[in-house]
Amino acid sequence: MMKNKAVATDYGLWKLMAWSGPVFFTLFFFMWGLLADNFPPMSPNLSAEAMKAHYLDKSLAISIGMSVCMVGGAFYMTWGCAVSRLMRRIEGPEGMFSNLEMMGATITFTPIVVACGIWLVAAMQAAVLSAEIIQSMYLLGWMIIDIAYMVTSFQIMGASIVFLKDTREKKLIPAWISWWGWVTIASFFPVSLIPFFKTGPFALNGLFNFWVAFPTWYIWIVAMSIYVIKGVNRIEIEDGAAEAKEDVSNAVSMLATR
Amino acid sequence: MKREDKLRRVPGVEGIWVFIGADLAFFGLLFISFMLSRRDNPAVFAASRQTLDYHFGGVNTLILLTSSWFVAMALSAARNNRFVVVQRCLAAALLSGISFGVLKIIEYGREIGSGVSPKTNDFFMYYFTFTGIHFVHVIAGCVVLIVLLVNARKQSYRSNDLAGLEIGASYWHMVDLLWIIIFPLLYLLR
Amino acid sequence: MNARSHRGHPPVIGMVWLLLMAATLASTWGASDRRIPASIAAVATLLIAAFKARLIVLYFMELKTAPVLLRLYFELWIVVVAGAILLIYALPPNIG
């Protein structure tokens, strides 16, 4: 069978993009979490002076962490493209949810890059800015990165709906991950409470809105990444098998016409 | 082992139990955080709790339990392909769910009218967020019940095709289960 | 066969519902009586709540006949939540 190489699936590139998921979550864990000292995040209840002291103290580490995250956040977008393509194999080229997932992943990068940019400048300018400005910048970053959750919810929703519809006997993405996606979406809603609480479980550093909502999402990204990489491998094998079958039947029909 | 497998089964699909299990775990953490906060301010929590009217919470518990029972009856009827009973039970469950919501809104109205808000103190912060998040679960549950009812009218649920009904029922029982803990924790625990 | 015929059997869930209603009446309008000492009322209220939660899990959610691990998770949830609440309740107040 003559196959047009220009429209053939580039499995190598697809796998590379699938691997940008692990790049994203590893980078964020070390650069945003550990290096920039966000485990745990500063309490919104701290005084402006204490926040300024934090940024002065950690200026270099936060500057490096945030600037790396502004670059590395884009891997969420490339990963979203790989997920979207896997979804299209289930819902077909006309499906809307693969678009929703890709847009959701792409736009998720926006609040990340804006918030990290704000925190970067707070760290760079800690010596010359007033404490109240630093405090406002710290909170501004959090409000943007947190309350933009609905974009990511739409991304996860699209993926969960489509991967649950997968009719393969062994689904490309196991059902529990899709259901975990619903858990993640549910855990995001209380994040809307962060402007109203400086302490307690619903503060931005609180038990629920930080220690539950973020790890829930993180688990989804990690689990999804692993199975998307496996999924692309499986699609490659499925396509290969289908092609081989086609080749055999072509050969048979050619022999028959002789 | 073989015999065990035949008798034991997962209601609905496995995934709904991932969701319910995680939701309950989250609430478990919140309950513990409430208790720790209560331990820090016993006087404030006791005084604030006494301003709540536990008759509202108690009646709402009875309503939600009854609603759960109707859903369980609907499932049982569907197993015997008694389609009219399924519809009636689901409609009754939905009505109960809506009654819970109406009563809760009246209660909120009285409380806010008396001048309290989530900002009043830590007790009311927990009170409004717990009952608020639970209220969102109730609204979602009513939507689920409406979907079940619409499908039941089309006789979609039969003894050999019950997964959808079981998923919805399990979720609705979870909403009930959460209230079973939230109510005594906020209203009754002296 | 036995486990299966019990699942969602109307007389059984009817009984469960009656028990749940009775338990609610007892804890809401019984244990709240001022003559009952606070700590006894609190323990009773929580134990009744745990009992009700278990009834819902086993009979309404039908986990009584579910695979053991699934049932265990939800039974443990009740034990851990009720246990933690009781434990923290029993601790002396933390007024610092």
Side-chain angles (χ1 to χ4, degrees), chain A residues 25 46 54 88 121 127 138 149 157 159 182 185 206 224 230 242:
Chain A
F25 67 68
L46 277 184
H54 173 87
R88 214 183 290 178
V121 176
Y138 177 70
Y149 66 79
M157 200 184 293
W182 296 115
I185 292 167
M224 195 62 140
K230 284 187 176 179

PDB file of all heavy atoms in Angstrom, chain A residues 25 46 54 88 121 127 138 149 157 159 182 185 206 224 230 242:
ATOM      1  N   PHE A  25       5.777  18.653  35.389  1.00  0.00           N
ATOM      2  CA  PHE A  25       5.512  18.464  36.826  1.00  0.00           C
ATOM      3  C   PHE A  25       6.797  18.330  37.642  1.00  0.00           C
ATOM      4  O   PHE A  25       6.820  18.709  38.811  1.00  0.00           O
ATOM      5  CB  PHE A  25       4.476  17.355  37.101  1.00  0.00           C
ATOM      6  CG  PHE A  25       4.846  15.932  36.781  1.00  0.00           C
ATOM      7  CD1 PHE A  25       5.817  15.258  37.497  1.00  0.00           C
ATOM      8  CD2 PHE A  25       4.148  15.241  35.795  1.00  0.00           C
ATOM      9  CE1 PHE A  25       6.100  13.926  37.227  1.00  0.00           C
ATOM     10  CE2 PHE A  25       4.436  13.905  35.519  1.00  0.00           C
ATOM     11  CZ  PHE A  25       5.422  13.259  36.232  1.00  0.00           C
ATOM     12  N   LEU A  46       0.238  37.011  57.089  1.00  0.00           N
ATOM     13  CA  LEU A  46       1.498  37.636  57.540  1.00  0.00           C
ATOM     14  C   LEU A  46       1.453  39.140  57.323  1.00  0.00           C
ATOM     15  O   LEU A  46       0.769  39.641  56.426  1.00  0.00           O
ATOM     16  CB  LEU A  46       2.669  37.066  56.749  1.00  0.00           C
ATOM     17  CG  LEU A  46       3.291  35.742  57.191  1.00  0.00           C
ATOM     18  CD1 LEU A  46       4.490  35.451  56.315  1.00  0.00           C
ATOM     19  CD2 LEU A  46       3.688  35.795  58.656  1.00  0.00           C
ATOM     20  N   HIS A  54      10.713  38.160  53.643  1.00  0.00           N
ATOM     21  CA  HIS A  54      10.794  36.871  52.952  1.00  0.00           C
ATOM     22  C   HIS A  54      11.379  37.051  51.546  1.00  0.00           C
ATOM     23  O   HIS A  54      12.282  36.317  51.131  1.00  0.00           O
ATOM     24  CB  HIS A  54       9.395  36.251  52.885  1.00  0.00           C
ATOM     25  CG  HIS A  54       9.299  35.004  52.051  1.00  0.00           C
ATOM     26  ND1 HIS A  54       9.552  33.750  52.552  1.00  0.00           N
ATOM     27  CD2 HIS A  54       8.974  34.812  50.738  1.00  0.00           C
ATOM     28  CE1 HIS A  54       9.385  32.849  51.605  1.00  0.00           C
ATOM     29  NE2 HIS A  54       9.029  33.463  50.489  1.00  0.00           N
ATOM     30  N   ARG A  88      -8.537  12.677  20.232  1.00  0.00           N
ATOM     31  CA  ARG A  88      -9.129  12.690  18.894  1.00  0.00           C
ATOM     32  C   ARG A  88      -9.230  11.274  18.326  1.00  0.00           C
ATOM     33  O   ARG A  88     -10.110  10.987  17.518  1.00  0.00           O
ATOM     34  CB  ARG A  88      -8.318  13.593  17.980  1.00  0.00           C
ATOM     35  CG  ARG A  88      -9.207  14.286  16.975  1.00  0.00           C
ATOM     36  CD  ARG A  88      -8.442  15.132  16.003  1.00  0.00           C
ATOM     37  NE  ARG A  88      -7.865  16.315  16.641  1.00  0.00           N
ATOM     38  CZ  ARG A  88      -7.115  17.186  15.981  1.00  0.00           C
ATOM     39  NH1 ARG A  88      -6.856  17.009  14.698  1.00  0.00           N
ATOM     40  NH2 ARG A  88      -6.613  18.221  16.594  1.00  0.00           N
ATOM     41  N   VAL A 121       9.158  39.722  39.835  1.00  0.00           N
ATOM     42  CA  VAL A 121       9.473  41.151  40.005  1.00  0.00           C
ATOM     43  C   VAL A 121       9.497  41.515  41.500  1.00  0.00           C
ATOM     44  O   VAL A 121      10.341  42.291  41.939  1.00  0.00           O
ATOM     45  CB  VAL A 121       8.474  42.028  39.228  1.00  0.00           C
ATOM     46  CG1 VAL A 121       8.748  43.511  39.483  1.00  0.00           C
ATOM     47  CG2 VAL A 121       8.575  41.732  37.734  1.00  0.00           C
ATOM     48  N   ALA A 127      14.167  45.065  47.460  1.00  0.00           N
ATOM     49  CA  ALA A 127      14.915  46.065  48.224  1.00  0.00           C
ATOM     50  C   ALA A 127      14.333  47.466  48.056  1.00  0.00           C
ATOM     51  O   ALA A 127      14.432  48.300  48.967  1.00  0.00           O
ATOM     52  CB  ALA A 127      16.374  46.044  47.810  1.00  0.00           C
ATOM     53  N   TYR A 138       2.332  39.759  46.113  1.00  0.00           N
ATOM     54  CA  TYR A 138       2.254  38.348  46.527  1.00  0.00           C
ATOM     55  C   TYR A 138       0.818  37.834  46.399  1.00  0.00           C
ATOM     56  O   TYR A 138       0.566  36.785  45.805  1.00  0.00           O
ATOM     57  CB  TYR A 138       2.742  38.214  47.975  1.00  0.00           C
ATOM     58  CG  TYR A 138       2.624  36.802  48.513  1.00  0.00           C
ATOM     59  CD1 TYR A 138       3.449  35.788  48.030  1.00  0.00           C
ATOM     60  CD2 TYR A 138       1.676  36.471  49.478  1.00  0.00           C
ATOM     61  CE1 TYR A 138       3.339  34.493  48.512  1.00  0.00           C
ATOM     62  CE2 TYR A 138       1.564  35.180  49.960  1.00  0.00           C
ATOM     63  CZ  TYR A 138       2.397  34.194  49.471  1.00  0.00           C
ATOM     64  OH  TYR A 138       2.282  32.909  49.925  1.00  0.00           O
ATOM     65  N   TYR A 149      -8.893  28.786  37.910  1.00  0.00           N
ATOM     66  CA  TYR A 149      -8.981  27.323  37.849  1.00  0.00           C
ATOM     67  C   TYR A 149      -9.971  26.805  36.821  1.00  0.00           C
ATOM     68  O   TYR A 149      -9.831  25.702  36.314  1.00  0.00           O
ATOM     69  CB  TYR A 149      -9.302  26.747  39.229  1.00  0.00           C
ATOM     70  CG  TYR A 149     -10.669  27.112  39.777  1.00  0.00           C
ATOM     71  CD1 TYR A 149     -11.811  26.452  39.335  1.00  0.00           C
ATOM     72  CD2 TYR A 149     -10.824  28.109  40.735  1.00  0.00           C
ATOM     73  CE1 TYR A 149     -13.066  26.782  39.825  1.00  0.00           C
ATOM     74  CE2 TYR A 149     -12.063  28.436  41.241  1.00  0.00           C
ATOM     75  CZ  TYR A 149     -13.186  27.773  40.777  1.00  0.00           C
ATOM     76  OH  TYR A 149     -14.418  28.111  41.260  1.00  0.00           O
ATOM     77  N   MET A 157     -12.239  18.346  32.288  1.00  0.00           N
ATOM     78  CA  MET A 157     -13.577  17.871  31.948  1.00  0.00           C
ATOM     79  C   MET A 157     -13.587  17.221  30.570  1.00  0.00           C
ATOM     80  O   MET A 157     -14.090  16.107  30.393  1.00  0.00           O
ATOM     81  CB  MET A 157     -14.531  19.073  31.970  1.00  0.00           C
ATOM     82  CG  MET A 157     -15.992  18.753  32.121  1.00  0.00           C
ATOM     83  SD  MET A 157     -16.966  20.290  32.014  1.00  0.00           S
ATOM     84  CE  MET A 157     -16.469  21.136  33.502  1.00  0.00           C
ATOM     85  N   ALA A 159     -11.117  15.968  28.859  1.00  0.00           N
ATOM     86  CA  ALA A 159     -10.353  14.714  28.870  1.00  0.00           C
ATOM     87  C   ALA A 159     -11.144  13.609  29.570  1.00  0.00           C
ATOM     88  O   ALA A 159     -11.223  12.476  29.078  1.00  0.00           O
ATOM     89  CB  ALA A 159      -9.011  14.927  29.564  1.00  0.00           C
ATOM     90  N   TRP A 182     -12.655  14.180  37.688  1.00  0.00           N
ATOM     91  CA  TRP A 182     -13.859  14.789  38.281  1.00  0.00           C
ATOM     92  C   TRP A 182     -13.578  15.215  39.713  1.00  0.00           C
ATOM     93  O   TRP A 182     -14.073  16.251  40.178  1.00  0.00           O
ATOM     94  CB  TRP A 182     -15.043  13.820  38.236  1.00  0.00           C
ATOM     95  CG  TRP A 182     -15.476  13.472  36.842  1.00  0.00           C
ATOM     96  CD1 TRP A 182     -15.429  12.250  36.235  1.00  0.00           C
ATOM     97  CD2 TRP A 182     -16.009  14.368  35.847  1.00  0.00           C
ATOM     98  NE1 TRP A 182     -15.894  12.327  34.949  1.00  0.00           N
ATOM     99  CE2 TRP A 182     -16.255  13.613  34.675  1.00  0.00           C
ATOM    100  CE3 TRP A 182     -16.292  15.737  35.837  1.00  0.00           C
ATOM    101  CZ2 TRP A 182     -16.769  14.181  33.511  1.00  0.00           C
ATOM    102  CZ3 TRP A 182     -16.805  16.297  34.671  1.00  0.00           C
ATOM    103  CH2 TRP A 182     -17.034  15.518  33.526  1.00  0.00           C
ATOM    104  N   ILE A 185     -11.736  18.505  39.505  1.00  0.00           N
ATOM    105  CA  ILE A 185     -12.643  19.607  39.171  1.00  0.00           C
ATOM    106  C   ILE A 185     -13.416  20.022  40.423  1.00  0.00           C
ATOM    107  O   ILE A 185     -13.527  21.209  40.747  1.00  0.00           O
ATOM    108  CB  ILE A 185     -13.599  19.177  38.042  1.00  0.00           C
ATOM    109  CG1 ILE A 185     -12.811  18.982  36.744  1.00  0.00           C
ATOM    110  CG2 ILE A 185     -14.710  20.206  37.848  1.00  0.00           C
ATOM    111  CD1 ILE A 185     -13.587  18.272  35.644  1.00  0.00           C
ATOM    112  N   GLY A 206      -4.150  27.184  52.842  1.00  0.00           N
ATOM    113  CA  GLY A 206      -4.896  26.362  53.792  1.00  0.00           C
ATOM    114  C   GLY A 206      -4.892  24.881  53.467  1.00  0.00           C
ATOM    115  O   GLY A 206      -4.530  24.453  52.364  1.00  0.00           O
ATOM    116  N   MET A 224      -1.996  10.971  34.429  1.00  0.00           N
ATOM    117  CA  MET A 224      -2.362  11.179  33.033  1.00  0.00           C
ATOM    118  C   MET A 224      -1.119  11.105  32.143  1.00  0.00           C
ATOM    119  O   MET A 224      -1.141  10.464  31.089  1.00  0.00           O
ATOM    120  CB  MET A 224      -3.029  12.554  32.921  1.00  0.00           C
ATOM    121  CG  MET A 224      -3.759  12.771  31.647  1.00  0.00           C
ATOM    122  SD  MET A 224      -5.100  11.597  31.485  1.00  0.00           S
ATOM    123  CE  MET A 224      -6.317  12.608  30.826  1.00  0.00           C
ATOM    124  N   LYS A 230       2.044   5.834  27.498  1.00  0.00           N
ATOM    125  CA  LYS A 230       1.702   4.447  27.162  1.00  0.00           C
ATOM    126  C   LYS A 230       0.686   4.404  26.018  1.00  0.00           C
ATOM    127  O   LYS A 230       0.751   3.545  25.140  1.00  0.00           O
ATOM    128  CB  LYS A 230       1.083   3.742  28.377  1.00  0.00           C
ATOM    129  CG  LYS A 230       2.069   3.343  29.446  1.00  0.00           C
ATOM    130  CD  LYS A 230       1.332   2.503  30.480  1.00  0.00           C
ATOM    131  CE  LYS A 230       2.270   1.970  31.542  1.00  0.00           C
ATOM    132  NZ  LYS A 230       1.540   1.190  32.542  1.00  0.00           N
ATOM    133  N   ALA A 242      -3.107  -2.555  12.105  1.00  0.00           N
ATOM    134  CA  ALA A 242      -4.139  -2.274  11.104  1.00  0.00           C
ATOM    135  C   ALA A 242      -3.514  -2.196   9.714  1.00  0.00           C
ATOM    136  O   ALA A 242      -4.065  -2.705   8.727  1.00  0.00           O
ATOM    137  CB  ALA A 242      -4.851  -0.970  11.450  1.00  0.00           C
TER     138      ALA A 242
END
